[in-house]
């Protein structure tokens, strides 16, 4: 997976004097079926989350409230996103290392995920992640 495949997705917005509304449909606004939703909240200032990559899981990450930074790394390039809009999702494919920090007070990070929870889907060691990326690229170069 390349860092270029990590993209911000503009979600539909129904603007209304009573308050705005955003909706997300699987396989329409995001290119996968949603199997799980989870969210980070009550994050103390200075905390860092993530520090891992997923082998198969794809996700759309949204700042439902407040803001935070997401740094993505495909094993050769890095990109940083500042998330602060509840109508903008960050699409992260599998095999991308992520670090999330700079959480503002009261921020909520919601994730729509393509897989149910499985610890075996994680690389939690950066060197293991890099080795897997290199193996994959070597395999692909042979064909
Ligand atoms: C991600 C970022 C944004 C579960 O039991 N079920 C779950 O669905 C999840 C997501 C986690 N857990 C357990 C596993 C750990 O014992 O909750 C604990 C904390 O998980 P983790 O250290 O992975 O949390 P984060 O915030 O570093 O990462 C999570 C997601 O794991 C990850 O997919 O992209 O949020």
């Amino acid at each position: 997976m390349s860092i270029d495949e990590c993209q911000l997705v503009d979600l539909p917005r129904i603007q209304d004097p009573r308050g705005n509304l955003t909706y997300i449909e699987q396989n329409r606004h995001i290119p996968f079926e949603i199997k799980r939703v989870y969210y980070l909240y009550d994050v103390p200032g200075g905390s860092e989350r993530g520090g891992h990559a997923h082998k198969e899981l794809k996700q759309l990450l949204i700042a439902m409230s407040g803001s935070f930074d997401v740094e993505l790394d495909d094993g050769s390039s890095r990109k940083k996103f500042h998330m602060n809009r509840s109508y903008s999702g960050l699409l992260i494919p599998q095999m991308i290392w992520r670090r999330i920090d700079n959480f503002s007070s009261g921020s909520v990070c919601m994730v729509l995920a393509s897989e149910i929870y499985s610890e075996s889907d994680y690389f939690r060691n950066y060197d293991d992640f890099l080795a897997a990326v290199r193996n994959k690229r070597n395999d692909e170069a042979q064909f």
Side-chain angles (χ1 to χ4, degrees), residues 45-74:
S47 281
E48 182 181 313
R49 308 289 307 221
H52 57 249
H54 286 281
K55 295 174 188 170
E56 299 293 338
L57 179 142
K58 307 173 200 35
Q59 62 187 202
L60 187 83
L61 192 148
I62 303 169
M64 296 302 286
S65 178
S67 64
F68 47 84
D69 293 337
V70 185
E71 187 181 85
L72 301 177
D73 175 345
D74 65 6

Side-chain angles (χ1 to χ4, degrees), residues 3 12 22 24 26 31 33 40 44 47 59-60 63 66 68 79 84 93 101 113 118-119 121 127 130-132 135 137:
I3 203 80
T22 283
I24 306 167
Q26 62 187 15
E33 195 183 322
L40 306 174
S47 281
Q59 62 187 202
L60 187 83
F68 47 84
K79 215 167 170 180
N84 62 354
D101 64 8
S118 165
E119 189 55 37
D121 187 59
D127 291 335
L130 278 186
N135 282 342
R137 286 181 186 158

Side-chain angles (χ1 to χ4, degrees), residues 5-20:
E5 288 167 76
C6 304
Q7 294 166 2
L8 286 173
V9 177
D10 252 338
L11 299 166
R13 245 192 313 167
I14 312 281
Q15 290 181 295
D16 190 311
R18 299 171 300 164
N20 300 335

Side-chain angles (χ1 to χ4, degrees), residues 36 38 40 49-50 52 54 57 59 61 98 100 109 111 117 119 122 124:
R36 179 167 50 119
Y38 50 94
L40 306 174
R49 308 289 307 221
H52 57 249
H54 286 281
L57 179 142
Q59 62 187 202
L61 192 148
R98 85 285 320 272
I100 311 168
C109 168
V111 178
Y117 175 71
E119 189 55 37
Y122 285 74
R124 292 198 185 262

